[in-house]
Amino acid sequence: MKFIEIKNVYKVYNNGVTALVDTNLSIGKGEFVFVIGNSGSGKSTLIKLLYREEKPTKGEVLVGGINVAKLRNGSVYKLRRKIGVVFQDFKLLPKLTVYENVAFGLESIGIKDDEVRTKVIRALELVGLKDKVRAFPNQLSGGEQQRVCIARAIVNDPKVLICDEPTGDLDPNLSLEIVKLLEDINKELKTTIIMATHDSQIVNKMKKRVIAIENGVVVYDQEKGKYYESSKSNN
Ligand code: ADP
């Protein structure tokens, strides 16, 4: 069994919109995977199932041996500790410094001050922002703000880093820088990385496994090396 297993998953939202149809995916420990598809194709939904922001309507989601859909609300924190998340809009707390933003989650789970310090400095070093510890988010460029978010997401050594359109608000050069940083993290920390994007330029440059979704259907999975029937008719 792979580290992440998605089996026969369907997601139908309350308003009747079907976001995922019979989705099956396996992702191994330490992989770097792009999930691509147009806006509205189901990328975010797929990603939200992994950290239990949404539950599947049908099917199974397994992350590191945890049956995500069946997890009790009171145990969701056990899953979330294994997962770091980076979003398109940075979601940094504007009144906290870079250091405080990265430390925030650690402090709230009761990690001691000196350990927090070691972890925060290490994460900021990794993303190349150690000299910005005292800056506030509005004193940073977009690329720098996204680096802070990445530091915040990796600070507690998650097994998986999930990135939902992390370069959506960045220009092409910065986007590539951010993805290269994710690649470094993948190599150095062995973190499994799943990145949703509609930026085909980046995907083409990086030469990683690609999973493509169209209208809620996985139409291509590089691991399986083929386009499925549903997309063949479009090509
Ligand atoms: P993507 O990330 O590829 O843009 P999403 O997963 O966000 O796609 O959306 C897939 C489909 O599900 C879209 O039709 C979207 O409108 C719908 N959708 C997403 N979130 C919700 C929600 N909370 N309630 C109802 N429909 C939703």
Side-chain angles (χ1 to χ4, degrees):
M1 198 174 81
K2 294 271 183 82
F3 187 66
I4 293 174
E5 296 274 355
I6 295 177
K7 295 182 188 168
N8 307 112
V9 162
Y10 289 76
K11 177 66 187 179
V12 183
Y13 284 106
N14 289 339
N15 61 357
V17 171
T18 300
L20 289 175
V21 181
D22 198 15
T23 306
N24 289 281
L25 290 172
S26 301
I27 297 172
K29 242 191 189 140
E31 274 197 72
F32 189 129
V33 180
F34 284 116
V35 178
I36 63 166
N38 293 334
S39 181
S41 58
K43 303 181 298 295
S44 297
T45 302
L46 180 67
I47 271 181
K48 284 175 181 170
L49 294 175
L50 297 176
Y51 61 98
R52 243 292 279 274
E53 181 71 16
E54 294 289 348
K55 283 190 196 178
T57 310
K58 221 167 105 180
E60 263 190 357
V61 178
L62 302 165
V63 176
I66 296 179
N67 191 331
V68 177
K70 290 212 173 121
L71 210 55
R72 289 206 200 105
N73 286 340
S75 299
V76 169
Y77 74 92
K78 289 181 193 160
L79 170 75
R80 301 259 169 96
R81 277 187 191 175
K82 291 182 193 278
I83 299 179
V85 189
V86 177
F87 301 99
Q88 172 172 356
D89 51 342
F90 312 126
K91 296 194 199 305
L92 291 170
L93 297 165
K95 294 201 169 132
L96 299 187
T97 62
V98 164
Y99 181 93
E100 290 162 346
N101 264 285
V102 178
F104 189 74
L106 294 179
E107 286 160 352
S108 66
I109 59 173
I111 294 179
K112 292 202 186 91
D113 283 356
D114 49 347
E115 198 185 339
V116 169
R117 199 180 154 68
T118 310
K119 283 178 182 267
V120 172
I121 297 298
R122 196 193 60 149
L124 285 171
E125 239 164 13
L126 250 162
V127 303
L129 283 182
K130 207 179 139 204
D131 56 337
K132 299 281 185 187
V133 282
R134 291 199 181 84
F136 287 90
N138 68 3
Q139 297 171 322
L140 302 177
S141 69
E144 287 169 339
Q145 290 183 51
Q146 195 54 299
R147 284 170 185 271
V148 178
C149 294
I150 293 169
R152 180 181 58 183
I154 62 168
V155 72
N156 207 21
D157 299 312
K159 303 268 184 274
V160 190
L161 183 59
I162 290 174
C163 308
D164 195 353
E165 298 274 5
T167 62
D169 285 344
L170 303 175
D171 65 40
N173 287 339
L174 277 180
S175 297
L176 193 60
E177 250 180 50
I178 289 291
V179 179
K180 291 231 161 104
L181 171 60
L182 294 175
E183 185 180 40
D184 290 345
I185 289 167
N186 173 247
K187 286 191 176 141
E188 279 179 40
L189 307 182
K190 315 275 181 243
T191 316
T192 306
I193 298 193
I194 301 170
M195 172 171 159
T197 183
H198 62 263
D199 186 339
S200 52
Q201 259 184 328
I202 282 202
V203 174
N204 291 338
K205 280 207 177 97
M206 299 300 291
K207 314 252 182 284
K208 304 287 183 194
R209 176 177 167 193
V210 173
I211 293 166
I213 308 187
E214 277 173 20
N215 297 321
V217 178
V218 173
V219 290
Y220 174 71
D221 183 350
Q222 196 158 8
E223 189 182 58
K224 294 170 186 157
K226 62 171 187 189
Y227 271 93
Y228 298 112
E229 292 303 325
S230 65
S231 76
K232 271 186 189 155
S233 55
N234 298 330
N235 288 312

